[in-house]
């Protein structure tokens, strides 16, 4: 599957949506066209699979880098910074690429139930991450949901507007989201 998604991204970056075909992906990977059709009958199915792959990779990264480390190994401040950075940065090293053009096509493959599922999965990770901080006065679930909505919604809106990841402006936005999250937690402790 990784070879298929890698080929999808290479073609996407070189030729855009019009250049992506299941035939082109099959040729790029060396997989028989018929075999690829068994998994992805059309390019919308390929995009859908890739979007889910991006979400799964994001969730796995949150689990490994934010939720799993014990409190003794990762201070609350760093855990929250990682949580925000991984959630907000759409071009974070080690995560699959997801860009403006892909988001513009998402309506072709994602129904409202899919958006709810992703939000619920992210909310679970955010709640687990804050619980792992072992703060004396942890934020309420409502606060965690508000922070997640601001971070995830901001990421999606920035992608929609074509505000590129990796730019100084993007880094400043991620840093500000981190500060907002930390101040929200610190405010509950004072």
């Amino acid at each position: 599957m990784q070879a298929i998604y890698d080929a999808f991204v290479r073609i996407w970056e070189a030729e855009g949506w019009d250049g992506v075909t299941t035939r082109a992906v099959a040729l790029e990977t060396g997989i028989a066209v018929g075999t690829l059709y068994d998994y992805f009958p059309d390019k919308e199915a390929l995009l859908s699979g890739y979007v889910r792959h991006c979400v799964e990779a994001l969730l796995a990264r949150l689990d490994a880098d934010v939720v799993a480390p014990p409190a003794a190994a990762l201070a609350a401040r760093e855990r929250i910074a990682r949580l925000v950075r991984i959630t907000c940065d759409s071009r974070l090293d080690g995560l699959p690429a997801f860009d403006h053009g892909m988001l513009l096509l998402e309506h072709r493959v994602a129904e409202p139930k899919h958006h709810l599922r992703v939000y619920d999965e992210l909310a679970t990770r955010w709640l687990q991450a804050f619980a792992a901080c072992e703060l004396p006065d942890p934020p309420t679930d409502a606060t965690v949901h508000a922070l997640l909505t601001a971070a995830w919604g901001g990421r999606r809106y920035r992608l929609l507007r074509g505000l590129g990841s990796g730019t100084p402006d993007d880094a400043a936005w991620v840093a500000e989201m981190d500060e907002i999250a930390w101040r929200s937690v610190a405010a509950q402790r004072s």
Side-chain angles (χ1 to χ4, degrees):
M1 264 321 156
Q2 190 61 52
I4 292 169
Y5 293 141
D6 289 346
F8 169 80
V9 170
R10 281 193 303 275
I11 295 167
W12 174 272
E13 289 175 345
E15 301 177 40
W17 180 245
D18 290 338
V20 173
T21 65
T22 48
R23 183 174 205 38
V25 172
L27 291 172
E28 179 81 12
T29 60
I31 296 171
V33 175
T35 302
L36 186 63
Y37 282 135
D38 288 342
Y39 294 98
F40 304 106
D42 55 35
K43 68 185 195 177
E44 280 81 9
L46 185 55
L47 176 62
S48 178
Y50 183 73
V51 169
R52 188 64 206 169
H53 168 70
C54 291
V55 170
E56 292 295 334
L58 175 67
L59 295 171
R61 182 80 175 264
L62 287 170
D63 286 340
D65 292 0
V66 180
V67 175
L74 189 60
R77 181 69 181 103
E78 176 58 23
R79 189 180 307 269
I80 291 169
R82 287 182 185 185
L83 178 66
V84 171
R85 187 173 52 252
I86 292 168
T87 302
C88 291
D89 191 344
S90 61
R91 285 287 187 170
L92 195 62
D93 286 342
L95 289 178
F98 190 82
D99 66 17
H100 168 77
M102 290 176 190
L103 184 60
L104 290 177
L105 294 171
E106 194 179 47
H107 70 280
R108 292 178 146 190
V109 298
E111 299 172 19
K113 68 181 180 183
H114 299 123
H115 291 285
L116 290 173
R117 177 180 170 196
V118 169
Y119 179 86
D120 288 344
E121 290 169 332
L122 284 168
T124 296
R125 291 339 186 270
W126 273 60
L127 290 165
Q128 290 171 336
F130 277 98
C133 288
E134 297 182 1
L135 297 166
D137 191 14
T140 65
D141 287 1
T143 297
V144 174
H145 279 275
L147 292 169
L148 167 59
T149 301
W152 187 245
R155 170 190 163 142
R156 291 179 58 78
Y157 187 73
R158 290 178 64 79
L159 277 172
L160 184 64
R161 296 282 302 144
L163 301 171
S165 280
T167 64
D169 176 62
D170 198 59
W173 174 72
V174 172
E176 191 61 33
M177 287 304 304
D178 172 46
E179 189 63 28
I180 289 168
W182 182 248
R183 284 184 184 175
S184 178
V185 170
Q188 289 194 358
R189 294 188 308 165
S190 45

